[in-house]
Amino acid sequence: MKAEIIAIGSELLLGQITNTNAKFISLKLAEIGVDVHYQTVVGDNPDRLDEVIEIARKRADILIFTGGLGPTKDDMTKETIVKHIGTTLVSDDEALLYIQQYFERSGRVMTENNKKQALVFKGAKVLPNRKGMAPGMAVEKDGVRYILLPGPPHEMEPMFTDEAIPYLLGATGKQEVITSRVLKFYGIGEAELEHRIQPILEKQTNPTVAPLATADAVTLRITAKAKSTDAALQLIVPVEQEIRAVVGEYIYGTDDDTLSSKAAELLIKNGWTIAAAESLTAGLFMAELAGEPGISASLEGGVVVYNEKAKIEQLGVEGALLEEYGVVSAECAASLADNVKRMFGSDIGIGLTGAAGPDPHDGKPVGTVWIGISSMNAETETHKLLLSGSRNANRLRSARFALYYLIKYLNAKES
Protein backbone atom coordinates (compact mmCIF):
# COMPACT_ATOMS: atom_id res chain seq x y z
CA MET A 1 0.00 0.00 0.00
CA LYS A 2 1.04 3.58 -0.65
CA ALA A 3 0.77 6.42 1.85
CA GLU A 4 0.96 10.18 1.54
CA ILE A 5 1.78 12.40 4.52
CA ILE A 6 0.07 15.79 4.51
CA ALA A 7 1.32 18.33 7.06
CA ILE A 8 -0.95 21.29 7.67
CA GLY A 9 0.27 24.61 9.04
CA SER A 10 1.40 27.94 7.63
CA GLU A 11 4.23 28.00 10.19
CA LEU A 12 5.80 25.05 8.34
CA LEU A 13 5.79 26.95 5.04
CA LEU A 14 7.21 30.06 6.72
CA GLY A 15 10.11 28.05 8.12
CA GLN A 16 9.16 28.84 11.70
CA ILE A 17 9.18 25.15 12.65
CA THR A 18 10.64 22.02 11.06
CA ASN A 19 8.43 19.20 9.84
CA THR A 20 9.86 16.45 12.04
CA ASN A 21 6.50 14.64 12.01
CA ALA A 22 6.94 13.51 8.41
CA LYS A 23 10.31 11.94 9.20
CA PHE A 24 8.93 10.10 12.23
CA ILE A 25 5.87 8.80 10.38
CA SER A 26 7.91 7.71 7.35
CA LEU A 27 10.29 5.70 9.53
CA LYS A 28 7.43 4.01 11.37
CA LEU A 29 5.56 3.19 8.16
CA ALA A 30 8.71 1.67 6.67
CA GLU A 31 8.89 -0.69 9.63
CA ILE A 32 5.50 -2.18 8.72
CA GLY A 33 6.11 -2.23 4.98
CA VAL A 34 3.95 0.75 3.95
CA ASP A 35 5.62 2.83 1.23
CA VAL A 36 5.54 6.63 1.43
CA HIS A 37 5.62 8.01 -2.12
CA TYR A 38 4.72 11.63 -1.37
CA GLN A 39 4.98 14.20 1.42
CA THR A 40 2.99 17.42 1.14
CA VAL A 41 2.94 20.60 3.22
CA VAL A 42 0.03 23.01 2.94
CA GLY A 43 -0.88 26.17 4.83
CA ASP A 44 -3.95 26.84 6.95
CA ASN A 45 -6.19 27.42 3.95
CA PRO A 46 -9.25 25.24 3.26
CA ASP A 47 -9.24 25.78 -0.51
CA ARG A 48 -5.60 24.74 -0.87
CA LEU A 49 -6.13 21.79 1.48
CA ASP A 50 -9.09 20.74 -0.72
CA GLU A 51 -6.78 20.72 -3.75
CA VAL A 52 -4.15 18.69 -1.90
CA ILE A 53 -6.69 16.06 -0.83
CA GLU A 54 -8.10 15.72 -4.35
CA ILE A 55 -4.63 15.03 -5.71
CA ALA A 56 -3.53 12.77 -2.85
CA ARG A 57 -6.49 10.42 -2.82
CA LYS A 58 -5.91 9.60 -6.49
CA ARG A 59 -2.34 8.43 -5.87
CA ALA A 60 -2.31 6.96 -2.36
CA ASP A 61 -4.26 4.37 -0.34
CA ILE A 62 -3.54 6.00 3.02
CA LEU A 63 -3.63 9.74 3.69
CA ILE A 64 -2.05 10.79 6.97
CA PHE A 65 -2.72 14.35 8.13
CA THR A 66 -0.85 16.15 10.91
CA GLY A 67 -1.93 19.46 12.41
CA GLY A 68 -5.02 21.62 12.32
CA LEU A 69 -7.00 19.82 15.06
CA GLY A 70 -6.82 22.62 17.63
CA PRO A 71 -9.49 25.00 18.97
CA THR A 72 -8.69 28.13 16.96
CA LYS A 73 -10.31 29.43 13.79
CA ASP A 74 -7.38 28.46 11.55
CA ASP A 75 -7.55 24.84 12.76
CA MET A 76 -9.76 23.60 9.92
CA THR A 77 -8.47 20.13 9.06
CA LYS A 78 -11.54 18.22 10.21
CA GLU A 79 -13.98 20.70 8.71
CA THR A 80 -12.26 20.44 5.32
CA ILE A 81 -11.83 16.67 5.19
CA VAL A 82 -15.36 15.89 6.35
CA LYS A 83 -16.70 17.07 2.96
CA HIS A 84 -14.49 14.60 1.11
CA ILE A 85 -15.65 11.57 3.09
CA GLY A 86 -19.33 12.55 3.08
CA THR A 87 -20.10 12.36 6.78
CA THR A 88 -20.71 14.73 9.68
CA LEU A 89 -18.84 15.87 12.78
CA VAL A 90 -20.14 14.72 16.14
CA SER A 91 -18.87 15.33 19.66
CA ASP A 92 -17.07 12.39 21.22
CA ASP A 93 -18.15 12.15 24.85
CA GLU A 94 -14.96 10.46 26.03
CA ALA A 95 -12.76 13.05 24.32
CA LEU A 96 -14.83 15.94 25.70
CA LEU A 97 -14.61 14.55 29.23
CA TYR A 98 -10.84 14.15 28.88
CA ILE A 99 -10.52 17.77 27.72
CA GLN A 100 -12.63 19.02 30.65
CA GLN A 101 -10.52 17.04 33.12
CA TYR A 102 -7.35 18.35 31.48
CA PHE A 103 -8.42 21.92 32.24
CA GLU A 104 -9.47 21.02 35.78
CA ARG A 105 -6.09 19.45 36.51
CA SER A 106 -4.23 22.47 35.19
CA GLY A 107 -6.41 24.97 37.04
CA ARG A 108 -7.36 26.78 33.83
CA VAL A 109 -10.74 27.94 32.57
CA MET A 110 -12.06 25.96 29.60
CA THR A 111 -13.44 28.26 26.90
CA GLU A 112 -16.27 27.29 24.56
CA ASN A 113 -14.02 26.87 21.52
CA ASN A 114 -12.12 24.07 23.25
CA LYS A 115 -15.17 21.85 22.75
CA LYS A 116 -14.30 21.95 19.03
CA GLN A 117 -11.38 19.62 19.72
CA ALA A 118 -13.77 16.85 20.78
CA LEU A 119 -15.49 16.80 17.36
CA VAL A 120 -14.80 13.64 15.34
CA PHE A 121 -16.13 12.09 12.13
CA LYS A 122 -19.30 10.09 12.67
CA GLY A 123 -18.42 6.40 12.57
CA ALA A 124 -14.65 6.99 12.70
CA LYS A 125 -12.24 5.14 14.93
CA VAL A 126 -11.18 7.67 17.57
CA LEU A 127 -7.48 7.70 18.45
CA PRO A 128 -7.10 8.86 22.09
CA ASN A 129 -4.65 11.67 22.84
CA ARG A 130 -2.79 10.76 26.05
CA LYS A 131 -0.45 13.75 25.88
CA GLY A 132 -2.79 16.57 24.89
CA MET A 133 -6.43 17.37 24.20
CA ALA A 134 -7.42 16.88 20.54
CA PRO A 135 -8.04 13.21 19.70
CA GLY A 136 -7.03 11.76 16.36
CA MET A 137 -9.23 9.65 14.14
CA ALA A 138 -9.19 7.12 11.32
CA VAL A 139 -11.84 6.45 8.70
CA GLU A 140 -12.08 4.66 5.34
CA LYS A 141 -13.92 6.00 2.29
CA ASP A 142 -13.91 4.54 -1.24
CA GLY A 143 -10.80 2.47 -0.58
CA VAL A 144 -8.80 5.37 0.88
CA ARG A 145 -7.97 5.52 4.58
CA TYR A 146 -7.80 8.94 6.22
CA ILE A 147 -5.82 9.27 9.45
CA LEU A 148 -5.86 12.59 11.32
CA LEU A 149 -3.22 13.32 13.95
CA PRO A 150 -2.36 16.36 16.08
CA GLY A 151 0.56 18.56 15.04
CA PRO A 152 2.70 18.81 18.23
CA PRO A 153 5.27 15.97 18.03
CA HIS A 154 4.95 15.09 21.73
CA GLU A 155 1.25 14.35 21.08
CA MET A 156 1.53 12.93 17.57
CA GLU A 157 4.35 10.43 18.11
CA PRO A 158 2.79 8.31 20.90
CA MET A 159 -0.62 8.48 19.18
CA PHE A 160 0.82 7.23 15.92
CA THR A 161 2.85 4.47 17.58
CA ASP A 162 0.21 3.27 20.03
CA GLU A 163 -3.01 3.87 18.07
CA ALA A 164 -2.44 4.45 14.34
CA ILE A 165 0.10 1.66 13.74
CA PRO A 166 -2.14 -1.08 15.22
CA TYR A 167 -5.04 0.30 13.19
CA LEU A 168 -3.00 0.16 9.98
CA LEU A 169 -1.73 -3.33 10.68
CA GLY A 170 -5.27 -4.55 11.16
CA ALA A 171 -6.59 -2.66 8.16
CA THR A 172 -3.89 -3.52 5.63
CA GLY A 173 -2.96 -7.03 6.70
CA LYS A 174 0.64 -6.16 5.81
CA GLN A 175 3.10 -8.93 6.50
CA GLU A 176 6.29 -7.44 5.05
CA VAL A 177 8.68 -5.17 6.92
CA ILE A 178 11.31 -2.82 5.57
CA THR A 179 14.62 -2.68 7.45
CA SER A 180 17.65 -0.48 6.80
CA ARG A 181 21.30 -0.51 7.75
CA VAL A 182 23.23 2.76 7.40
CA LEU A 183 26.99 2.80 6.82
CA LYS A 184 28.76 6.06 7.77
CA PHE A 185 31.84 7.21 5.82
CA TYR A 186 34.38 10.00 6.25
CA GLY A 187 37.36 11.06 4.18
CA ILE A 188 35.71 10.13 0.88
CA GLY A 189 33.32 12.18 -1.25
CA GLU A 190 29.89 11.02 -2.39
CA ALA A 191 30.91 10.92 -6.07
CA GLU A 192 34.04 8.85 -5.43
CA LEU A 193 32.16 6.48 -3.13
CA GLU A 194 29.43 5.94 -5.71
CA HIS A 195 32.06 5.36 -8.43
CA ARG A 196 33.89 2.73 -6.39
CA ILE A 197 30.74 0.74 -5.55
CA GLN A 198 29.12 1.17 -9.00
CA PRO A 199 29.03 -2.59 -9.70
CA ILE A 200 27.10 -3.09 -6.45
CA LEU A 201 24.67 -0.29 -7.32
CA GLU A 202 24.06 -1.66 -10.81
CA LYS A 203 22.97 -5.10 -9.61
CA GLN A 204 20.86 -3.98 -6.63
CA THR A 205 17.30 -5.28 -6.34
CA ASN A 206 16.46 -6.30 -2.80
CA PRO A 207 18.28 -4.96 -0.82
CA THR A 208 18.66 -1.54 -2.42
CA VAL A 209 21.68 0.71 -1.78
CA ALA A 210 21.28 4.49 -1.70
CA PRO A 211 24.15 7.00 -1.27
CA LEU A 212 23.49 10.23 0.65
CA ALA A 213 25.73 13.13 1.65
CA THR A 214 25.12 14.96 4.93
CA ALA A 215 26.90 17.83 6.66
CA ASP A 216 29.39 15.63 8.49
CA ALA A 217 29.46 12.35 6.58
CA VAL A 218 28.63 10.39 3.47
CA THR A 219 26.24 7.51 4.06
CA LEU A 220 25.02 4.39 2.31
CA ARG A 221 21.58 3.16 3.28
CA ILE A 222 21.07 -0.56 2.61
CA THR A 223 17.34 -1.33 2.66
CA ALA A 224 15.71 -4.76 2.49
CA LYS A 225 12.09 -5.89 2.40
CA ALA A 226 11.15 -9.26 3.87
CA LYS A 227 8.61 -11.13 5.97
CA SER A 228 10.40 -10.25 9.21
CA THR A 229 13.13 -7.97 10.51
CA ASP A 230 15.50 -10.91 10.97
CA ALA A 231 14.92 -12.05 7.40
CA ALA A 232 15.55 -8.54 6.10
CA LEU A 233 18.79 -8.28 8.08
CA GLN A 234 19.95 -11.57 6.58
CA LEU A 235 19.51 -10.05 3.12
CA ILE A 236 21.51 -6.98 4.16
CA VAL A 237 24.54 -8.84 5.59
CA PRO A 238 26.16 -10.03 2.32
CA VAL A 239 25.67 -6.61 0.67
CA GLU A 240 27.28 -4.86 3.62
CA GLN A 241 30.19 -7.29 3.51
CA GLU A 242 30.68 -6.59 -0.19
CA ILE A 243 30.69 -2.83 0.40
CA ARG A 244 33.16 -3.15 3.27
CA ALA A 245 35.48 -5.17 1.06
CA VAL A 246 35.64 -2.26 -1.41
CA VAL A 247 35.54 0.89 0.76
CA GLY A 248 35.68 -0.37 4.32
CA GLU A 249 38.69 1.80 5.17
CA TYR A 250 36.43 4.88 5.11
CA ILE A 251 33.66 3.47 7.31
CA TYR A 252 33.71 4.90 10.82
CA GLY A 253 30.33 3.74 12.11
CA THR A 254 26.79 2.59 11.40
CA ASP A 255 23.18 3.69 11.86
CA ASP A 256 23.03 6.45 14.52
CA ASP A 257 26.80 6.74 15.05
CA THR A 258 28.46 10.14 14.72
CA LEU A 259 32.19 10.78 14.62
CA SER A 260 32.18 12.02 18.20
CA SER A 261 29.91 9.27 19.55
CA LYS A 262 31.98 6.52 17.91
CA ALA A 263 35.27 7.96 19.17
CA ALA A 264 33.83 8.29 22.67
CA GLU A 265 32.45 4.75 22.56
CA LEU A 266 35.86 3.28 21.69
CA LEU A 267 37.71 5.36 24.28
CA ILE A 268 35.29 4.60 27.12
CA LYS A 269 34.90 0.90 26.31
CA ASN A 270 38.65 0.31 26.41
CA GLY A 271 39.42 2.65 29.30
CA TRP A 272 41.75 4.83 27.22
CA THR A 273 42.34 8.48 28.06
CA ILE A 274 42.96 11.41 25.73
CA ALA A 275 44.11 15.03 25.77
CA ALA A 276 44.23 17.58 22.95
CA ALA A 277 46.34 20.57 21.94
CA GLU A 278 44.48 22.75 19.47
CA SER A 279 45.69 25.66 17.42
CA LEU A 280 43.43 26.50 14.47
CA THR A 281 40.44 24.59 15.94
CA ALA A 282 40.66 26.49 19.26
CA GLY A 283 38.83 23.83 21.25
CA LEU A 284 36.39 22.53 18.59
CA PHE A 285 37.79 18.99 18.79
CA MET A 286 37.34 18.84 22.55
CA ALA A 287 33.88 20.44 22.28
CA GLU A 288 32.74 17.76 19.82
CA LEU A 289 34.04 14.98 22.06
CA ALA A 290 32.79 16.57 25.29
CA GLY A 291 29.22 16.47 24.01
CA GLU A 292 29.13 12.68 24.43
CA PRO A 293 27.75 11.16 27.67
CA GLY A 294 30.34 9.45 29.85
CA ILE A 295 33.33 11.04 28.11
CA SER A 296 34.61 12.46 31.41
CA ALA A 297 36.05 9.01 32.06
CA SER A 298 38.38 9.43 29.06
CA LEU A 299 38.83 13.13 28.28
CA GLU A 300 41.60 14.33 30.58
CA GLY A 301 41.73 17.90 29.27
CA GLY A 302 43.53 20.02 26.74
CA VAL A 303 44.98 23.38 25.81
CA VAL A 304 44.33 25.98 23.14
CA VAL A 305 47.69 27.26 21.87
CA TYR A 306 46.62 29.61 19.14
CA ASN A 307 49.84 31.48 18.49
CA GLU A 308 53.50 30.56 18.37
CA LYS A 309 54.28 32.06 21.78
CA ALA A 310 51.60 29.95 23.47
CA LYS A 311 52.89 26.80 21.79
CA ILE A 312 56.35 27.43 23.21
CA GLU A 313 55.49 28.78 26.66
CA GLN A 314 52.37 26.77 27.51
CA LEU A 315 53.14 23.46 25.87
CA GLY A 316 56.91 23.37 25.59
CA VAL A 317 57.16 23.14 21.81
CA GLU A 318 60.77 23.90 20.92
CA GLY A 319 61.33 27.25 19.28
CA ALA A 320 64.02 25.73 17.08
CA LEU A 321 61.50 23.21 15.73
CA LEU A 322 59.04 25.94 14.81
CA GLU A 323 61.80 28.03 13.25
CA GLU A 324 62.94 25.14 11.09
CA TYR A 325 59.61 23.60 10.07
CA GLY A 326 57.00 26.27 10.84
CA VAL A 327 53.81 26.06 12.87
CA VAL A 328 51.85 24.54 9.98
CA SER A 329 53.84 21.34 9.71
CA ALA A 330 53.85 17.67 10.56
CA GLU A 331 56.60 18.29 13.09
CA CYS A 332 54.57 20.91 14.95
CA ALA A 333 51.45 18.73 15.01
CA ALA A 334 53.47 15.78 16.35
CA SER A 335 55.09 17.94 19.03
CA LEU A 336 51.70 19.29 20.12
CA ALA A 337 50.33 15.76 20.41
CA ASP A 338 53.37 14.41 22.26
CA ASN A 339 53.59 17.30 24.69
CA VAL A 340 49.91 17.46 25.59
CA LYS A 341 49.89 13.70 26.22
CA ARG A 342 52.83 14.13 28.56
CA MET A 343 51.28 17.19 30.25
CA PHE A 344 48.04 15.39 31.13
CA GLY A 345 49.41 11.88 31.51
CA SER A 346 46.91 10.53 29.00
CA ASP A 347 47.16 7.46 26.80
CA ILE A 348 46.65 9.47 23.61
CA GLY A 349 47.48 13.01 22.58
CA ILE A 350 45.94 14.92 19.67
CA GLY A 351 47.56 17.95 18.04
CA LEU A 352 45.92 20.21 15.46
CA THR A 353 47.58 23.05 13.58
CA GLY A 354 46.96 24.68 10.24
CA ALA A 355 45.91 27.63 8.08
CA ALA A 356 42.15 28.08 8.45
CA GLY A 357 41.97 31.19 6.27
CA PRO A 358 41.04 33.54 4.80
CA ASP A 359 44.76 34.28 4.32
CA PRO A 360 47.74 31.91 4.05
CA HIS A 361 49.55 31.24 7.32
CA ASP A 362 53.22 30.55 7.91
CA GLY A 363 53.71 30.47 4.15
CA LYS A 364 51.19 27.62 3.77
CA PRO A 365 48.07 27.85 1.57
CA VAL A 366 44.64 28.26 3.14
CA GLY A 367 43.21 24.86 4.09
CA THR A 368 46.56 23.24 4.89
CA VAL A 369 46.09 21.31 8.14
CA TRP A 370 48.21 18.85 10.07
CA ILE A 371 46.83 16.45 12.68
CA GLY A 372 49.11 14.58 15.05
CA ILE A 373 48.20 11.52 17.12
CA SER A 374 50.61 10.59 19.88
CA SER A 375 49.72 7.02 20.54
CA MET A 376 50.39 4.24 23.03
CA ASN A 377 53.71 2.46 22.63
CA ALA A 378 54.04 3.52 19.00
CA GLU A 379 55.43 6.30 16.86
CA THR A 380 53.44 9.51 16.62
CA GLU A 381 51.45 9.57 13.38
CA THR A 382 50.59 12.68 11.38
CA HIS A 383 47.96 13.37 8.73
CA LYS A 384 47.88 16.21 6.22
CA LEU A 385 44.67 17.81 4.97
CA LEU A 386 44.18 20.16 2.04
CA LEU A 387 40.76 21.63 2.66
CA SER A 388 38.72 24.06 0.59
CA GLY A 389 36.05 26.12 2.26
CA SER A 390 35.39 29.07 4.50
CA ARG A 391 37.48 29.72 7.58
CA ASN A 392 34.99 28.20 10.00
CA ALA A 393 34.16 25.31 7.69
CA ASN A 394 37.88 24.43 7.57
CA ARG A 395 38.11 24.60 11.35
CA LEU A 396 35.10 22.34 11.88
CA ARG A 397 36.22 19.85 9.23
CA SER A 398 39.67 19.74 10.82
CA ALA A 399 38.15 18.78 14.18
CA ARG A 400 36.03 16.09 12.54
CA PHE A 401 38.94 14.70 10.54
CA ALA A 402 40.83 14.46 13.82
CA LEU A 403 37.95 12.39 15.23
CA TYR A 404 37.95 10.22 12.09
CA TYR A 405 41.71 9.51 12.30
CA LEU A 406 41.33 8.89 16.03
CA ILE A 407 38.62 6.30 15.32
CA LYS A 408 40.84 4.58 12.76
CA TYR A 409 43.68 4.48 15.27
CA LEU A 410 41.45 3.16 18.08
CA ASN A 411 39.93 0.47 15.84
CA ALA A 412 43.40 -0.70 14.84
CA LYS A 413 44.52 -0.68 18.47
CA GLU A 414 41.45 -2.64 19.53
CA SER A 415 42.01 -5.31 16.92
Side-chain angles (χ1 to χ4, degrees):
M1 298 191 77
K2 302 182 294 292
E4 179 160 348
I5 302 168
I6 301 171
I8 302 158
S10 298
E11 65 276 10
L12 294 166
L13 294 174
L14 293 171
Q16 295 170 343
I17 63 171
T18 303
N19 186 14
T20 59
N21 286 343
K23 175 183 177 182
F24 179 87
I25 293 170
S26 292
L27 289 171
K28 291 297 181 181
L29 289 177
E31 291 175 1
I32 63 170
V34 174
D35 297 318
V36 177
H37 286 187
Y38 299 95
Q39 293 182 8
T40 303
V41 180
V42 62
D44 300 305
N45 181 285
D47 293 335
R48 287 193 284 272
L49 179 55
D50 266 330
E51 294 174 9
V52 165
I53 295 170
E54 280 300 317
I55 295 170
R57 65 182 186 173
K58 294 175 183 176
R59 64 189 185 188
D61 310 296
I62 304 167
L63 307 187
I64 300 174
F65 301 83
T66 63
L69 303 184
T72 61
K73 193 172 182 180
D74 63 350
D75 291 313
M76 35 42 107
T77 299
K78 291 181 287 191
E79 291 81 353
T80 304
I81 298 174
V82 72
K83 295 180 294 183
H84 289 269
I85 60 176
T87 187
T88 58
L89 288 168
V90 296
S91 181
D92 183 77
D93 292 339
E94 186 176 342
L96 182 58
L97 177 62
Y98 187 84
I99 293 169
Q100 291 170 336
Q101 293 173 339
Y102 182 92
F103 275 94
E104 290 173 5
R105 289 194 303 271
S106 61
R108 296 159 53 199
V109 177
M110 177 176 166
T111 58
E112 189 65 23
N113 61 347
N114 283 113
K115 294 181 180 179
K116 173 186 173 184
Q117 296 179 97
L119 294 176
V120 299
F121 300 144
K122 186 177 181 179
K125 175 177 175 57
V126 178
L127 310 179
N129 188 342
R130 311 297 184 192
K131 300 295 182 179
M133 288 183 281
M137 64 199 81
V139 66
E140 188 267 340
K141 174 70 174 180
D142 297 330
V144 178
R145 299 187 183 277
Y146 299 75
I147 298 176
L148 283 67
L149 305 167
H154 74 279
E155 298 179 27
M156 187 283 297
E157 292 179 6
M159 183 186 293
F160 190 74
T161 301
D162 299 338
E163 306 293 339
I165 288 292
Y167 164 79
L168 285 172
L169 287 173
T172 64
K174 291 292 291 187
Q175 297 299 318
E176 289 184 320
V177 299
I178 299 174
T179 301
S180 294
R181 171 80 160 170
V182 179
L183 304 181
K184 300 283 189 74
F185 298 78
Y186 208 76
I188 186 172
E190 183 181 16
E192 182 184 352
L193 175 62
E194 186 170 338
H195 173 73
R196 292 178 64 170
I197 63 165
Q198 193 61 39
I200 299 172
L201 296 175
E202 288 175 352
K203 68 180 182 181
Q204 62 176 316
T205 52
N206 181 29
T208 59
V209 181
L212 175 68
T214 63
D216 61 350
V218 177
T219 68
L220 287 179
R221 181 179 294 275
I222 312 169
T223 303
K225 182 181 288 189
K227 294 295 184 182
S228 67
T229 299
D230 287 343
L233 289 173
Q234 287 302 310
L235 293 174
I236 289 171
V237 168
V239 178
E240 179 177 345
Q241 290 174 340
E242 191 175 359
I243 292 171
R244 286 182 178 274
V246 179
V247 286
E249 63 188 288
Y250 297 103
I251 297 175
Y252 73 82
T254 60
D255 297 328
D256 294 328
D257 287 337
T258 64
L259 288 162
S260 56
S261 71
K262 189 63 180 181
E265 173 194 324
L266 292 168
L267 287 167
I268 295 167
K269 180 176 66 173
N270 292 287
W272 295 326
T273 58
I274 189 170
E278 302 187 57
S279 182
L280 84 156
T281 47
L284 283 176
F285 172 84
M286 284 183 286
E288 291 270 311
L289 201 53
E292 300 303 326
I295 195 59
S296 58
S298 293
L299 181 57
E300 296 286 359
V303 293
V304 172
V305 282
Y306 207 70
N307 59 31
E308 186 172 326
K309 181 180 178 182
K311 291 176 177 65
I312 295 171
E313 294 184 358
Q314 301 300 318
L315 207 55
V317 177
E318 294 181 3
L321 181 147
L322 298 180
E323 186 174 345
E324 181 176 357
Y325 298 105
V327 294
V328 184
S329 65
E331 290 76 11
C332 180
S335 182
L336 291 173
D338 290 337
N339 289 6
V340 79
K341 182 178 76 168
R342 187 162 48 250
M343 174 186 286
F344 285 90
S346 58
D347 296 314
I348 303 161
I350 300 288
L352 293 109
T353 184
D359 302 312
H361 181 53
D362 195 37
K364 304 301 190 301
V366 172
T368 305
V369 177
W370 283 95
I371 298 168
I373 301 179
S374 184
S375 53
M376 296 172 272
N377 305 317
E379 291 185 6
T380 299
E381 59 184 65
T382 58
H383 304 273
K384 184 180 182 180
L385 307 176
L386 296 173
L387 305 177
S388 59
S390 68
R391 173 181 174 81
N392 284 333
N394 287 339
R395 294 174 63 240
L396 183 58
R397 289 184 66 199
S398 297
R400 289 176 174 168
F401 262 107
L403 289 166
Y404 167 67
Y405 287 124
L406 173 63
I407 291 167
K408 291 189 69 173
Y409 166 74
L410 295 176
N411 278 327
K413 183 70 178 175
E414 195 176 44
S415 60

